[in-house]
Structures are given as structure tokens and as C-alpha cells.
Amino acid sequence: MWGVYQTKPQCAACFRKLPKISLPLYHLILILSISIATNVRAFDYKVALTKSLLYFESQRSGKLPYNQRVTWRDNSGLTDGLEQGVDLVGGYYDAGDHVKFGLPMAFTVTMLSWSVIEYGEQIVDAGEYEHAIEAIKWGTDYFMKAHTSPNVLWAEVGDGDTDHYCWQRPEDMTTSRQAYKIDKDNPGSDLAGETAAAMAAASIVFKKSNPHYSHLLQHHAQQLFEFGDTYRGKYDTSIGVVKSYYTSVSGYKDELLWGALWLYKATNNLEYLKYVVENADSFGGTGWAITEFSWDVKYAGLQILTSMLLTEEHKEHADILGQYRVKAEHYLCSCLNKNNGSNVERSPAGLLYIRQWNNMQYVSNAAFLLMVYSDYLQNSNQKLNCHGEMVGAEEIFEFAKSQVDYILGANPMSMSYLVGYGSKFPTQVHHRGASIVSYRENKGFIGCTQGYDNWYGRRARNPNVLVGALVGGPDIKDDFYDERKNYIQTEACTYNTAPLVGIFAKIHQLETQNIAEDQILRSSY
């Protein structure tokens, strides 16, 4: 059932760690590397990074700040929570509609934070650090508002059903802004666990620059984790309206393990690590062999992050951490097409393919996990064991980069699936705000059905470019249809782009170093 197509990406970066050899041979290899590079499309990863962070400004809900750079957006959702007597203004719209869904929003913030934790130095070098932490803080500020007491977390604002009946700009919303919460009588351990993970990861980001804010985030994260662990249950059982949109198929055990692990990393409190170890088997952490990582299924990320703790410092937990590592390797080897049959399917051009709807979310997440683990292996002088075949860090990195380059345009359609990047990208993104004339240009009210009548069905490109959005992407045959109504392929989500922030920064730094090294070598001849 799984595809076996595999490409071997080639690029000048493959030669960045050359052995000490004689000058004539070294010169020959340099010429070869340059020759290969001329046949491979060059991408500007710094530009891609800048654009990816702009996307989060397009998705902001609430009162926009003075330094808002996406100027076709304006204030929206300013009365969110008013009917319930709570301030729920702010946060992010997840995709092309205007519901604020807590679970994917929290996962977005977790991945943005993980990007900064792993690649903060590279993001600084690219000059985008302030924008990255602003994107995180826009989410965590909202989470602190939504966590109104230790055992209460507001899970959703708006209703997907009524929202989807309308095609309006967020500034014109006339749809329901009903808010929904989880509490001890209506539990949601998955949502509480993921939000705890997001706030714990963010607390690491802010630890040095804003220690007071970091402490607040830790406090909320600890309370939320205790709430989710004490009152167990799936959030979509308590909040039925979310089932058609973000059903928690994997349940809540992966999020509890995930939240505990991030709390351990944030606090160094061994009780959280003990939780991850003691519940490894019963919660599926060392049982589930997964080939996807997403807003719903956290096992692969959990297993990879946990296996990276397998050091002398944690030797008393070596057995359980080793079991986590086996499952992490299953995921990684599946992506690399080295897992004895149970591999992730690929398109003819080599794109990882999990499922039809919004497949790019799985691609960007996989690329991030592969790149993080590649760095871990390189730094610890280890290799990945794929059923006896030892895979080096370089090969893992190059495959991850091939997925990123596919996103940016190295594909049969020469299409950049990162909107606004390159000369050819989707122009009819399935997104209400982008597809209607900007509120700042035309403040005339556009009604619920008027948007469908006058804007949704237009064959023209969107009047506003949703810069930095990663759309759902091509099908299993590498085909893509740029039509607004084709939401399976043309809708974008915040959690698609979030992992790319760290990846773009990482590759940009490496490419910059390679160019500098090439210039030094050229000047020698």
C-alpha cells in the first residue's frame, strides 16, 4: 500500500564537509559541486523565512498592533467572549475561516516555539527573531486569557457550521461568536495537554528575554497539565461542535505525554520526566509506531524529542527512552523509505504523501522532525538505524531539504506552494479575507451571502496576497489546481507554516556559509 519511489537530492550543500585532500582533487570536486548546483534551482531561504512569518500577521484576530505589517487586514473579533463575560479577544484564525480553534492554535504555537528553541541563533542571523517571538506571543497572550481559572480553558470561539455558511472578511463578521470551554465537568485532556505544551515551550523561548513572562507561561502550563491529567477525557466529546473540524482521533494520551515532556524541558522538574517514563507503555508512547505528525497525532514528535534525552544524564531511564527511540526511528525510516515496506507513500516527484486533504501539513512537519534529528545525530556523532542500514545525518538533512525545495518550486509544476514566494504561486487561495477587497480599501459592509455572490466564485486572482501561507498542495500525482473552491488543495493553515520557520532559518545559514566558503576557495585559484 505504500509507495517506494525515492529520489536522491543533489546540491552544492552536499559538499559542505569535505575531507582534507590534495588541492587538484579538491579543485575537481569544487568544480563538480558548482556544476551540479547550476542544474538545481537556487532558493532564497531568507526571503522564504521572512514571508512565512508575515503569514501569522494575516491570521491575527483582535485589535491589531501599531506595527502590523500586513496592511490589508484590520481589527476583528473585538467582542469575542463578551456574551460569556470573559475577554477572548485575540489569538489566531486557523485557516481561511474565522473560528478560533484551540487545539490547532496551540499546536501552531508549540511548533513555532520549537523552531525558535532549535534554530533561534539562525533566526537571529536572518534578522527575523523579533517577528518570530511576536508570532508566538500573539498566541500565548490569548491562551493566558482563555485559561480563566485552574480547571477552565476556553476551547473555541465561533461555530464552524454557521461560519461556513458565510463568505465574509473577518472585519465584517456577522456569524456566531459563541465561545466553548472545557472544565472538570466537561474535560478535554488533549486540548489542555497541547496548550500546556505550547505554553511550556514558549516559556523556554522567553526565559532570558522576558523572565517574568516566561514564569507566567510555566505557571499556566503546569496548571493546565494538572487539569488535563486529573480530569481525563477527549475535548471533542465535551464540545460536540468541533467534531466536524478538529476531531481528536488520536485521543488525549499523546497530548498528556507531550505536555509533560515539554514541561520537563521547561522546568527541569524530574517528576514530569518520570510521568513520560512511567506512562510510556499504557499511554502508547512506546507502543504506537506512527508515520505522521500533526495537530492531532503527537506520538512521532514525542518519540523523537524523548529519544534525544538518551544520554548519560538519564541513564536510569535508558531502557524506556530506548523504546521511545525505536518508535522514533520507525517514523524517520518510514519518511526515508527505508522501513521494510511500511513507508510513507510518495508522489512521482518524491513528495511525502499522507492523505489527500491538506497534505503539506505532514510534509512540513516531517521535514522539521527530520532536520532536528539530523542535527542531533551530527552533534552526538551517531547514525540512524533503519533495520540494520545506518543512515548518516547528512542524508537525512538532504532528504528534508528536498521536501522544502519541493515546497518552494522544485516540482513538476514549478509552483511555489508558499504563497507570495517566487514568480509562480497559488493566486486563488481558499481564504475569505484574502479573496475579498481589503477592508482598509473599501469599508463598505459585505454581507454573508454577498461574499459568495461577488467574490467566492470569481475566476480572478485574490485581491490580497496571503504571503507566507503554505497551501494544502498537490495530489498524489503532483497535480495542483489553483481554484478557490478547491479547498482541499488551496486552503492554508497556521500549523502548515509553523515548522517552516526554523527550517528556513537553518538552511539559510548553511547556504550562507557555503557561499562564503566557495568565495574563499575561488579566490585561491
Side-chain angles (χ1 to χ4, degrees):
M1 86 185 257
W2 297 105
V4 295
Y5 185 89
Q6 184 175 13
T7 58
K8 186 173 179 58
Q10 295 177 307
C11 66
C14 302
F15 296 90
R16 67 175 167 274
K17 285 192 175 292
L18 288 169
K20 293 181 179 178
I21 53 180
S22 62
L23 282 176
L25 180 57
Y26 193 100
H27 195 186
L28 179 63
I29 294 176
L30 177 61
I31 292 170
L32 178 61
S33 72
I34 293 169
S35 175
I36 292 172
T38 60
N39 294 317
V40 177
R41 184 176 305 186
F43 297 109
D44 191 328
Y45 301 99
K46 182 178 180 180
V47 169
L49 170 62
T50 298
K51 291 181 182 295
S52 69
L53 286 165
L54 277 169
Y55 170 57
F56 296 98
E57 296 191 18
S58 299
Q59 296 303 108
R60 285 171 170 170
S61 180
K63 184 172 177 57
L64 302 184
Y66 73 92
N67 60 349
Q68 170 81 9
R69 296 177 295 163
V70 178
T71 56
W72 55 267
R73 281 294 324 281
D74 210 328
N75 302 330
S76 62
L78 298 182
T79 62
D80 283 358
L82 184 63
E83 291 181 25
Q84 290 75 33
V86 59
D87 178 7
L88 296 177
V89 176
Y92 287 111
Y93 304 120
D94 72 301
D97 52 23
H98 304 135
V99 184
K100 294 191 298 202
F101 292 104
L103 187 58
M105 193 193 307
F107 180 68
T108 295
V109 172
T110 305
M111 295 308 294
L112 281 172
S113 298
W114 195 0
S115 284
V116 173
I117 291 166
E118 293 289 340
Y119 302 117
E121 178 187 328
Q122 290 89 339
I123 295 171
V124 169
D125 288 348
E128 291 293 339
Y129 191 77
E130 290 302 316
H131 294 137
I133 62 173
E134 283 174 6
I136 294 168
K137 195 170 184 293
W138 194 266
T140 52
D141 282 352
Y142 174 77
F143 295 147
M144 285 199 279
K145 285 183 175 184
H147 185 214
T148 50
S149 65
N151 296 331
V152 174
L153 176 65
W154 291 88
E156 179 179 332
V157 180
D159 170 59
D161 292 340
T162 58
D163 183 273
H164 284 200
Y165 281 121
C166 290
W167 195 263
Q168 289 177 292
R169 302 174 296 195
E171 296 84 1
D172 290 330
M173 274 190 293
T174 56
T175 51
S176 168
R177 300 307 288 171
Q178 173 72 36
Y180 304 86
K181 66 180 178 181
I182 56 171
D183 54 31
K184 62 182 183 180
D185 297 319
N186 303 281
S189 303
D190 29 25
L191 176 61
E194 183 59 60
T195 311
M199 298 177 96
S203 76
I204 300 172
V205 172
F206 290 101
K207 192 170 186 177
K208 291 183 179 178
S209 63
N210 194 340
H212 175 68
Y213 190 71
S214 174
H215 178 75
L216 279 176
L217 289 170
Q218 268 190 36
H219 177 68
H220 281 280
Q222 288 173 309
Q223 283 193 341
L224 280 167
F225 177 76
E226 185 177 349
F227 164 46
D229 189 40
T230 303
Y231 302 98
R232 295 181 182 177
K234 286 177 58 179
Y235 91 118
D236 57 16
T237 300
S238 297
I239 304 171
V241 294
V242 80
K243 281 191 173 182
S244 298
Y245 304 96
Y246 287 102
T247 301
S248 182
V249 176
S250 70
Y252 59 78
K253 293 177 180 179
D254 52 337
E255 277 88 7
L256 287 178
L257 291 170
W258 181 241
L261 182 58
W262 277 111
L263 274 165
Y264 168 66
K265 293 182 70 68
T267 66
N268 288 319
N269 185 334
L270 290 172
E271 287 301 309
Y272 293 115
L273 180 59
K274 185 179 176 183
Y275 185 97
V276 174
V277 169
E278 291 184 348
N279 291 289
D281 179 57
S282 60
F283 280 19
T286 55
W288 280 105
I290 298 294
T291 55
E292 72 172 73
F293 176 55
S294 68
W295 59 264
D296 179 24
V297 188
K298 311 297 159 48
Y299 283 114
L302 163 75
Q303 289 155 354
I304 285 171
L305 201 56
T306 304
S307 65
M308 289 161 62
L309 298 174
L310 196 55
T311 62
E312 279 295 311
E313 182 183 352
H314 304 106
K315 60 183 178 181
E316 71 273 23
H317 302 307
D319 179 52
I320 299 299
L321 296 180
Q323 292 178 46
Y324 271 109
R325 181 167 184 162
V326 169
K327 299 305 179 183
E329 289 175 342
H330 175 90
Y331 173 82
L332 296 162
C333 296
S334 293
C335 290
L336 294 167
N337 203 36
K338 298 176 183 292
N339 212 32
N340 287 353
S342 60
N343 296 308
V344 176
E345 194 171 5
R346 296 189 189 180
S347 72
L351 183 71
L352 292 172
Y353 195 84
I354 299 294
R355 56 178 57 88
Q356 182 183 24
W357 195 318
N358 190 19
N359 182 63
M360 279 300 189
Q361 65 174 305
Y362 308 108
V363 176
S364 61
N365 279 322
F368 182 83
L369 293 185
L370 286 160
M371 197 159 288
V372 166
Y373 207 74
S374 169
D375 287 344
Y376 164 71
L377 292 176
Q378 186 172 46
N379 294 335
S380 58
N381 195 29
Q382 298 182 67
K383 290 190 175 184
L384 173 65
N385 186 353
C386 292
H387 301 278
E389 179 182 350
M390 305 310 289
V391 184
E394 184 74 12
E395 182 177 347
I396 299 170
F397 170 83
E398 292 299 342
F399 177 70
K401 184 176 178 294
S402 76
Q403 299 299 296
V404 176
D405 288 350
Y406 186 110
I407 288 171
L408 294 182
N411 56 66
M413 299 195 70
S414 297
M415 169 79 76
S416 166
Y417 294 106
L418 189 78
V419 179
Y421 178 88
S423 59
K424 182 182 179 183
F425 52 82
T427 62
Q428 292 193 37
V429 182
H430 183 91
H431 188 279
R432 287 159 175 75
S435 66
I436 302 175
V437 62
S438 168
Y439 181 80
R440 297 204 176 188
E441 289 185 24
N442 182 354
K443 290 183 169 57
F445 176 74
I446 295 176
C448 181
T449 57
Q450 184 183 354
Y452 273 117
D453 293 341
N454 298 344
W455 295 97
Y456 179 74
R458 292 171 76 241
R459 299 304 296 258
R461 62 174 53 221
N462 288 347
N464 308 303
V465 180
L466 194 66
V467 174
L470 177 59
V471 297
D475 61 22
I476 187 60
K477 297 180 180 179
D478 297 301
D479 293 327
F480 178 80
Y481 302 95
D482 186 14
E483 298 175 358
R484 200 170 296 112
K485 64 182 180 181
N486 180 23
Y487 48 83
I488 288 176
Q489 293 189 317
T490 63
E491 189 167 26
C493 300
T494 56
Y495 45 86
N496 295 16
T497 296
L500 294 178
V501 170
I503 295 173
F504 288 148
K506 165 75 174 180
I507 303 178
H508 167 67
Q509 185 189 64
L510 290 175
E511 294 291 299
T512 302
Q513 290 172 353
N514 291 337
I515 291 170
E517 291 169 5
D518 287 348
Q519 288 174 342
I520 292 171
L521 287 168
R522 286 170 185 270
S523 66
S524 302
Y525 298 99

